[in-house]
């Protein structure tokens, strides 16, 4: 099995070292570099050409969301997993709009991160179980005033991809799908 090359970017040394150790122990992954800020991540992605970047969103110099945008503009083939503490819909939306292939929370398990990496390798978008319901609820709660045409036409390409995966009952989303309570259905 060919190993997927990985660049790890986080401004906290101990977390970065732990991620590198975790990923290096996976039989299908090879960590080829580390970055301590967004600018460093952009530079190392250009220099090392990893197949995957795992990066924090809250980093100095250039934040993770902007780093994702630049890395993807330079090489759209690189898969990017955001690893973050941010749970708000705004962060998720901005990160996916920037081009991320996955969004994993730092309080998820190592298996969740590895699952996100493997999903990205297969061309699928992965959302942390902890934010799936929030993203779907946020979409459903959007006001429709001032919109012309169907709601689908108002979505970005990335939003359409995410909703399509949810609708197809992607195995990762299936168990975390939004199920309205009896009161919410009325």
């Amino acid at each position: 099995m060919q190993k997927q090359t990985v660049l790890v970017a986080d401004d906290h040394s101990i977390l970065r070292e732990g991620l590198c150790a975790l990923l290096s122990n996976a039989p299908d992954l090879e960590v080829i570099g580390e970055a301590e800020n967004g600018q460093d991540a952009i530079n190392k992605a250009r220099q090392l050409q990893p197949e995957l970047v795992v990066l924090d969103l809250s980093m100095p110099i250039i934040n993770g969301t902007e780093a994702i945008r630049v890395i993807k503009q330079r090489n759209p083939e690189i898969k990017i997993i955001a690893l973050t503490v941010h749970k708000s819909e705004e962060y998720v939306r901005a990160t996916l709009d920037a081009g991320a292939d996955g969004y994993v929370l730092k309080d998820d398990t190592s298996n969740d991160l590895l699952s996100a990496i493997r999903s990205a390798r297969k061309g699928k978008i992965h959302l942390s179980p902890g934010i799936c319901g929030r993203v779907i609820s946020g979409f459903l709660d959007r006001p429709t005033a001032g919109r012309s045409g169907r709601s689908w036409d108002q979505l970005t390409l990335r939003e359409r991809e995410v909703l399509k995966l949810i609708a197809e009952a992607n195995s990762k989303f299936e168990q975390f799908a939004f199920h309205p309570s009896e009161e919410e259905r009325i």
Side-chain angles (χ1 to χ4, degrees), residues 97-111:
D97 284 345
D101 300 283
Y103 196 99
V104 178
L105 297 173
K106 287 186 176 178
D107 58 1
D108 285 344
T109 67
S110 58
N111 284 336

Side-chain angles (χ1 to χ4, degrees), residues 12-39:
H12 296 98
S13 297
I14 197 164
L15 182 58
R16 192 173 60 247
E17 290 170 10
L19 282 170
C20 289
L22 169 76
L23 299 176
S24 293
N25 283 330
D28 57 339
L29 302 174
E30 176 186 1
V31 177
I32 60 169
E34 298 178 35
E36 61 186 31
N37 61 60
Q39 183 64 58

Side-chain angles (χ1 to χ4, degrees), residues 57-74:
L57 294 182
S58 299
M59 290 192 293
I61 303 177
I62 294 179
N63 69 47
T65 304
E66 188 57 31
I68 291 168
R69 189 176 323 284
V70 173
I71 291 168
K72 282 290 199 172
Q73 284 173 347
R74 291 182 178 172

Side-chain angles (χ1 to χ4, degrees), residues 68-86:
I68 291 168
R69 189 176 323 284
V70 173
I71 291 168
K72 282 290 199 172
Q73 284 173 347
R74 291 182 178 172
N75 187 347
E77 298 302 312
I78 293 176
K79 303 297 183 187
I80 302 178
I81 304 295
L83 182 63
T84 183
V85 298
H86 300 290

Side-chain angles (χ1 to χ4, degrees), residues 111-124:
N111 284 336
D112 289 329
L113 176 59
L114 293 172
S115 178
I117 290 169
R118 292 181 181 119
S119 290
R121 175 184 266 176
K122 294 175 185 173
K124 296 179 181 179

